[in-house]
Each structure stands twice: as structure tokens, then as C-alpha cells.
């Protein structure tokens, strides 16, 4: 086997292998040559070459999102590692294990005018859970730092940074290891809900006729089926899920934004919970956030073994255990009490669904009707990746088949790496992957298609409404040059030539008939990656959507 001659590079590579870090995303460069040589010549690693570091970071994120294991990105010195920061921040807020290994120059070369050199130590301090600033020579201390970084990424589910100084020569190799390295164990702390807490909080539950459960982003099958059934059995409990909650039951309500539309104050009061229970990641729906912030429950409990964001400004208790651990200890002690809370919500939800279909049957072609058609067409057992901004919000309005797994980068809610994440996820998960995105997000991350790993059956659906359509439905929209140029980013671009440059099959649609045919063609061909571009009316979409919400009431 071929090894880099530099002992420090040998140690890092062997520790990664021993701790199960097997997916390595390498951005070409010179200073990281010792790492590149070592990783690519070792059969324990799956190595990918992604030239654009920002794309590489999100590509790695997509793999880690699916495998639940840390993925390492490796880059040269200088500005290269700055481009990992958006993906690293997403990993931080989405609790995804992620390792940046950046090559650096030795300390005596920093700030002396040497090329491709910046201050790299602790560069991600605000969004990294651990920063290992190594010294140039292999040492036991360096091994401890590398072990600890990987342990933190695994145990705390987030990003870490290992900064590695290398001196030239960088490309020399040897045929056997020349260094001893140390492996430290990963200690997992198992937490439990205390007996006193179970007694106290089950008493509160048993005297509450209105309990609202809001579920944020979750991996598929994250919650055991028996606890889903148990939650669904209480007439006093309403469970609201989002598209990327991946949590399903006939009694759960999964179209929050269609439900929480303007009510009278008396109806809002009727819906106001006494207890709010939350678990899962970031919540998409602005409407539910506004409702809970304005009509505050007396108690808010959050279930998460690591973090508790006070999203609504009313957090009263953080159970730092997994939802499954909480339910297994807590639910045996709660009682079923008489309540019309769930039935009241269900009645409203049923009415809204009827009105939704009535409106969709008469609405002209637009973003809204296009998403309605697209969501119905997604094949069962598909992995659905959704872009940010308006794309995920439109998907939320419709019922997605429960066999479809849905993912979206909601940690930072940025549009910058959605395509790259979807491609990484498609590689890690062998299911058919469909990616739905807006035009601005797609053009912004078009370098995502610049790699050699895209599966043949990968599908992209781009909703091209001529700009950032979400800004038209936000308060303050005015039709003028400033809005069109600096907010909406109006354009007349098409994805056709990008698709052809990267050897995608290209399809287009601009009305309901061509969309239906385009979707048939999209899913009929698995021999080459395919992109379907759907053109919708820029100046009509917001009016049609706002009228949709009016007619639901």
C-alpha cells in the first residue's frame, strides 16, 4: 500500500479509518496532497473529488444526512476552507456529523506574505463543536486532538474542524506506515427522565385537556411505531407534523399552513394549548410559530438529547433525552381524559381539505397548481429532496404519500447548497431520488452538477417563476425596479443549457397538459439524469396563493 511520507498525515488517515470515517470528499489542491495520497490509496475509504469546495461541503452533508455517520471534507490551504462554512453551519444547526480537515502552512509561514495563506486556526469557532489545531509533527497530543474531534462529531452530532500544517515536500510516499498512532474510545452517555420529573409532568398532562405536539424535521422511522399509536390514542392531544417530519398517522395533521389561517380571536383561543410538546429539528411553518407566540401555552416541553431551542420564547422544560426514551418512560403514566381538542382540530382540517380541492380545481396554472400536480406524481418509496424558500413551503400544503422520505436543509434554511446536498444524498441512499427546487436556488448551486457521481436515475424538477417568488408573498412587496432587481432578482434565464452541458436529459413544461406529460417522461427514463423545468407566471403566482388561503377560511 502507498502511504504519504509525512507522519502526521499517516496518523490522521489511520485514526479516521479506525473510527469509521469512511466517506472522504476531496477538493483538489496541493497543500492537502499528503492527505489526498493517503486517503485515495486506502481501500477502506470511499473517496470523491469535488472541485468547488462549497458544493463539496453540501455534497458531504447529503451523504452524512443519509448514513448518520461523519463524512470528512479535505481541502488545501487559503480561501478553500472558507467555502465549507455554509455547509458546516447547516450541519451545526441540523445536528449532522461533519468533519473538515484543512491543510495549512506551518505557523512560521502565516502572515508573512506567503501565497494561499490565511489565519485558519479556529476559523469556524462560532459553528464548530470542536477545533483541533494540530502541530506540524506527529505526536500523541495530536492523536488525542484528532480522536476527540471525531468523537465529538459522532456523539454530539455536528461539525468539527481539524487544521493540519504541512511543510514541503508534500508528494513523497512510502510503502509502509512509519508512525504509531493512538485510538481513544467514544463514551456514550445514556440519559433517563428522573422519577420526580415523571411524577410532576405526568400530573400536569393528566390535568390538561389541550396538549399540542409540534414535530419538526425528523429522519424517517425515527419514532417507534408503538409511541406513534399511543400519541394518536389521546383525544386531548393534537399532533401537527410538517412534510420533513416523516411522521405519519391518519389522525396527525400534516398541512399546518392550510390549517393555521386567519381565525377569529375566539377560535384562536379555542385552539390555544395548555401544554406544548416539541421534538425534531427546525420548524418550517411561520404560521404555527406566530400562533404559538401569540397564544402562549402555560408549559412548553422540548425533547432532545442534545439541544433545546426556545423557538417560541416560552420554553419551560428541556428533557435531554431522545423522544423514544421520553415516551417509553413517560407515556405509561399518563391517562386518557375526556376532551374535544383533537376532534375540534380534525373538523377544521377536514373542512380545509375539501375547500383546498375546490380551489385547486378552478385555479389557473401557477406555482400552487404545479406543486399540487408534482406532489401527486412522485413515485412511492422515493427519496424526495426539497429546496428551501418557497419550494418546501409549497410542498407543505399537500399530502405526500407516507412511503416517501422527505429532506430539506432547514438548519440555516439557505438556498445555497440544496442541489449539492440532494446529489450527495442520492449517492448514499440507493432509493430513487427526486429533487424539487426553485430557479434561483438551482442557478445559485449549478456547480453541484459538476461531478462524476450523479446516479443515472437522479431527477430534478426546477420551478422557474422568473425570480425569487417568495418575496412576492412577503409583507412589503411593491412592483418597482428596486424590488424586481434587489429582492426578487428577476431574470429570463432557463436551465436548458446547464442541463445539456452536464449531460442531463432536459424537459420543459409551461401549463397543466405539458406538466403532466413532462412528469410521465421524467419518470420513464432511468438511463440518464433528467431535469424537468416548469415555467409558471411570475406576476400571478402570489395572487393565486393568497387567494387560496382566503378561500380556505
Amino acid at each position: 500500500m502507498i502511504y504519504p511520507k509525512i507522519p502526521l498525515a499517516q496518523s490522521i488517515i489511520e485514526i479516521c479509518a479506525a473510527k469509521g470515517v469512511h466517506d472522504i470528499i476531496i477538493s483538489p489542491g496541493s497543500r492537502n496532497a499528503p492527505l489526498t495520497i493517503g486517503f485515495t490509496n486506502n481501500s477502506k475509504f470511499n473517496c470523491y473529488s469535488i472541485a468547488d469546495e462549497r458544493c463539496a461541503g453540501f455534497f458531504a452533508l447529503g451523504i452524512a444526512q443519509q448514513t448518520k455517520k461523519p463524512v470528512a471534507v479535505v481541502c488545501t490551504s487559503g480561501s478553500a476552507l472558507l467555502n465549507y462554512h455554509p455547509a458546516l453551519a447547516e450541519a451545526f444547526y441540523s445536528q449532522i456529523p461533519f468533519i473538515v480537515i484543512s491543510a495549512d502552512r506551518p505557523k512560521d509561514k502565516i502572515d508573512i506574505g506567503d501565497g494561499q495563506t490565511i489565519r485558519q486556526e479556529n476559523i469556524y469557532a462560532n459553528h464548530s463543536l470542536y477545533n483541533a489545531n494540530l502541530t506540524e509533527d506527529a505526536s500523541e497530543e495530536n492523536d488525542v486532538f484528532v480522536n476527540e474531534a471525531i468523537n465529538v462529531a459522532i456523539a454530539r452530532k455536528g461539525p468539527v474542524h481539524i487544521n493540519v500544517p504541512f511543510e514541503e515536500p508534500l508528494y513523497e510516499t512510502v510503502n509502509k506506515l512509519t508512525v504509531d498512532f493512538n485510538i481513544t474510545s467514544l463514551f456514550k452517555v445514556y440519559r433517563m427522565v428522573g422519577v420526580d420529573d415523571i411524577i410532576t409532568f405526568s400530573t400536569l398532562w393528566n390535568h390538561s385537556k389541550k396538549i399540542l405536539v409540534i414535530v419538526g424535521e425528523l429522519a424517517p422511522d425515527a419514532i417507534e411505531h408503538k409511541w406513534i399509536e399511543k400519541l394518536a390514542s389521546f383525544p386531548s392531544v393534537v399532533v401537527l407534523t410538517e412534510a420533513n417530519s416523516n411522521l405519519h398517522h391518519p389522525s396527525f395533521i400534516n398541512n399546518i399552513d392550510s390549517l393555521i389561517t386567519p381565525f377569529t380571536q375566539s377560535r384562536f383561543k379555542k385552539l390555544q394549548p395548555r401544554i406544548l410538546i416539541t421534538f425534531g429539528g427546525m420548524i418550517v411553518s411561520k404560521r404555527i410559530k406566530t400562533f404559538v407566540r401569540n397564544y402562549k401555552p402555560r408549559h412548553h416541553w422540548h425533547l432532545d438529547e442534545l439541544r433545546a431551542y426556545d423557538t417560541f420564547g416560552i420554553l419551560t422544560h428541556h428533557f435531554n433525552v431522545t423522544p423514544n426514551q421520553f415516551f417509553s418512560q413517560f407515556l405509561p403514566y399518563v391517562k386518557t381524559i375526556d376532551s374535544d381538542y383533537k376532534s375540534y382540530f380534525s373538523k377544521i382540517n377536514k373542512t380545509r381539505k375539501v375547500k383546498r380541492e375546490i380551489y385547486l380545481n378552478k385555479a389557473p396554472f401557477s406555482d400552487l397548481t404545479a406543486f399540487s400536480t408534482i406532489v401527486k406524481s412522485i413515485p412511492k418509496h422515493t427519496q424526495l429532496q426539497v429546496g428551501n424558500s418557497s419550494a418546501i413551503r409549497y410542498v407543505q400544503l399537500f399530502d405526500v404519500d407516507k412511503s416517501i422520505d422527505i429532506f430539506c436543509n432547514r438548519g440555516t434554511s439557505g438556498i445555497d447548497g440544496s442541489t449539492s446536498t440532494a446529489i450527495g444524498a442520492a449517492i448514499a441512499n440507493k432509493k430513487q431520488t427526486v429533487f424539487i427546487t426553485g430557479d434561483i436556488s438551482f442557478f445559485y448551486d449549478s456547480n453541484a452538477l459538476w461531478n462524476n457521481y450523479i446516479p443515472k436515475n437522479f431527477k430534478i424538477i426546477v420551478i422557474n417563476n422568473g425570480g425569487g417568488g417568495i418575496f412576492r408573498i412577503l409583507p412589503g412587496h411593491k412592483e418597482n425596479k428596486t424590488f424586481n432587481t434587489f429582492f426578487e432578482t428577476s431574470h429570463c434565464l432557463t436551465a436548458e443549457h446547464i442541463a445539456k452541458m452536464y449531460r442531463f436529459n432536459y424537459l420543459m413544461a409551461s401549463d397543466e397538459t405539458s406538466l403532466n406529460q413532462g412528469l410521465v417522461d421524467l419518470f420513464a427514463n432511468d438511463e440518464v439524469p433528467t431535469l424537468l423545468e416548469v415555467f409558471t407566471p411570475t406576476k400571478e403566482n402570489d395572487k393565486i396563493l393568497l387567494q387560496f388561503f382566503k378561500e380556505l377560511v
Side-chain angles (χ1 to χ4, degrees):
M1 188 180 293
I2 298 174
Y3 300 94
K5 186 176 180 180
I6 296 175
L8 179 58
Q10 292 182 17
S11 295
I12 293 169
I13 292 160
E14 294 304 314
I15 293 170
C16 284
K19 301 191 81 66
V21 182
H22 296 308
D23 290 304
I24 312 295
I25 318 303
I26 300 171
S27 294
S30 181
R31 188 61 50 171
N32 57 331
L35 295 169
T36 301
I37 291 167
F39 281 125
T40 57
N41 283 283
N42 190 321
S43 60
K44 294 178 182 177
F45 298 104
N46 306 311
C47 294
Y48 304 87
S49 176
I50 305 292
D52 184 323
E53 284 88 3
R54 190 186 69 196
C55 294
F58 282 103
F59 179 90
L61 194 79
I63 295 175
Q65 175 199 83
Q66 297 299 308
T67 64
K68 307 294 185 296
K69 296 178 181 179
V71 175
V73 290
V74 179
C75 70
T76 190
S77 62
S79 61
L81 72 159
L82 297 177
N83 291 294
Y84 287 149
H85 208 147
L88 182 135
E90 177 65 32
F92 179 83
Y93 287 106
S94 289
Q95 296 181 279
I96 294 175
F98 184 85
I99 301 169
V100 173
I101 307 177
S102 58
D104 199 357
R105 278 165 165 71
K107 280 193 174 183
D108 63 349
K109 298 293 197 301
I110 309 299
D111 288 340
I112 65 167
D114 212 19
Q116 205 168 331
T117 306
I118 65 173
R119 299 172 188 176
Q120 295 185 191
E121 292 188 356
N122 305 315
I123 204 162
Y124 306 121
N126 284 338
H127 298 109
S128 178
L129 299 177
Y130 188 87
N131 297 284
N133 299 305
L134 306 188
T135 54
E136 189 177 341
D137 297 322
S139 66
E140 185 175 342
E141 184 180 32
N142 276 340
D143 287 355
V144 170
F145 288 150
V146 175
N147 275 276
E148 186 64 15
I150 298 173
N151 287 347
V152 168
I154 296 169
R156 294 175 58 188
K157 300 178 184 176
V160 298
H161 178 207
I162 302 171
N163 193 59
V164 193
F166 291 129
E167 184 56 281
E168 298 178 15
L170 302 169
Y171 293 89
E172 294 183 346
T173 62
V174 294
N175 293 322
K176 63 179 181 178
L177 286 174
T178 60
V179 66
D180 293 325
F181 57 92
N182 299 288
I183 303 296
T184 61
S185 300
L186 171 66
F187 293 97
K188 178 71 173 176
V189 177
Y190 184 83
R191 297 184 176 92
M192 298 181 67
V193 182
V195 174
D196 290 344
D197 281 346
I198 291 174
I199 294 171
T200 300
F201 289 98
S202 63
T203 301
L204 287 173
W205 176 299
N206 292 332
H207 288 84
S208 299
K209 292 189 173 184
K210 297 196 293 184
I211 300 171
L212 182 63
V213 179
I214 301 176
V215 186
E217 181 177 24
L218 276 181
D221 304 316
I223 307 301
E224 293 180 37
H225 182 71
K226 60 184 175 182
W227 306 132
I228 294 174
E229 291 295 335
K230 187 68 174 175
L231 278 176
S233 70
F234 297 110
S236 57
V237 176
V238 171
V239 179
L240 301 182
T241 67
E242 298 197 291
N244 59 343
S245 299
N246 292 299
L247 194 66
H248 305 280
H249 189 276
S251 72
F252 294 174
I253 297 173
N254 62 351
N255 304 126
I256 297 178
D257 285 347
S258 297
L259 177 79
I260 306 297
T261 53
F263 291 125
T264 61
Q265 187 175 7
S266 62
R267 178 162 280 191
F268 271 131
K269 283 284 189 182
K270 177 77 172 175
L271 297 173
Q272 182 179 13
R274 179 181 175 85
I275 297 174
L276 171 67
I277 301 173
T278 56
F279 57 91
M282 301 294 193
I283 294 167
V284 176
S285 173
K286 282 189 174 182
R287 291 170 183 261
I288 196 63
K289 292 176 188 175
T290 301
F291 165 61
V292 176
R293 287 166 181 167
N294 290 339
Y295 294 86
K296 295 178 171 60
R298 292 190 184 182
H299 310 278
H300 174 199
W301 310 341
H302 187 71
L303 320 178
D304 191 289
E305 63 180 333
L306 296 171
R307 299 185 221 173
Y309 294 120
D310 191 7
T311 302
F312 308 102
I314 50 172
L315 184 67
T316 54
H317 195 81
H318 172 209
F319 290 93
N320 59 337
V321 295
T322 67
N324 285 319
Q325 289 171 329
F326 174 83
F327 295 138
S328 67
Q329 291 183 255
F330 188 81
L331 290 184
Y333 294 91
V334 300
K335 301 174 182 177
T336 300
I337 61 175
D338 289 335
S339 172
D340 66 350
Y341 193 52
K342 180 192 285 186
S343 62
Y344 187 74
F345 263 89
S346 297
K347 183 179 179 180
I348 296 172
N349 192 46
K350 288 177 182 178
T351 301
R352 295 286 161 84
K353 286 192 173 187
V354 171
K355 291 186 175 183
R356 179 185 68 188
E357 295 308 311
I358 292 172
Y359 182 77
L360 289 172
N361 286 333
K362 67 180 181 180
F365 186 72
S366 61
D367 282 351
L368 180 70
T369 59
F371 271 95
S372 174
T373 300
I374 291 166
V375 167
K376 292 174 185 175
S377 75
I378 304 297
K380 291 184 177 181
H381 307 291
T382 291
Q383 175 188 187
L384 179 61
Q385 293 277 337
V386 185
N388 265 310
S389 199
S390 60
I392 186 61
R393 299 182 190 282
Y394 272 112
V395 169
Q396 294 250 104
L397 298 175
F398 304 103
D399 298 318
V400 182
D401 189 271
K402 66 180 182 180
S403 71
I404 296 171
D405 300 333
I406 302 179
F407 300 89
C408 179
N409 285 345
R410 291 305 298 177
T412 60
S413 306
I415 68 168
D416 41 359
S418 295
T419 311
S420 296
T421 302
I423 293 171
I427 289 166
N429 187 329
K430 301 309 178 186
K431 286 185 175 182
Q432 163 75 75
T433 300
V434 177
F435 173 52
I436 306 175
T437 184
D439 48 357
I440 300 298
S441 179
F442 175 76
F443 293 135
Y444 195 92
D445 194 27
S446 60
N447 268 1
L449 306 187
W450 181 21
N451 72 65
N452 298 319
Y453 313 106
I454 300 173
K456 291 181 179 180
N457 65 347
F458 186 67
K459 317 290 185 187
I460 300 177
I461 302 174
V462 178
I463 308 298
N464 190 336
N465 52 27
I470 194 169
F471 290 101
R472 288 183 168 269
I473 60 176
L474 296 177
H477 163 231
K478 292 182 180 179
E479 197 68 40
N480 56 43
K481 185 176 179 180
T482 296
F483 172 81
N484 293 340
T485 302
F486 296 101
F487 289 93
E488 186 181 40
T489 319
S490 300
H491 68 85
C492 297
L493 302 175
T494 169
E496 180 178 5
H497 295 293
I498 293 176
K500 289 181 177 178
M501 180 170 70
Y502 292 113
R503 296 181 174 85
F504 270 63
N505 183 34
Y506 176 79
L507 305 169
M508 65 162 288
S510 56
D511 55 32
E512 197 67 34
T513 300
S514 58
L515 176 58
N516 282 312
Q517 184 59 52
L519 289 166
V520 170
D521 296 340
L522 178 71
F523 295 115
N525 183 358
D526 287 340
E527 298 304 314
V528 61
T530 303
L531 185 151
L532 169 62
E533 187 168 23
V534 183
F535 295 92
T536 62
T538 303
K539 295 184 178 181
E540 301 301 321
N541 285 316
D542 59 316
K543 301 180 183 68
I544 293 167
L545 180 64
L546 293 173
Q547 187 62 31
F548 166 73
F549 285 118
K550 288 179 181 178
E551 297 204 14
L552 287 176
V553 179

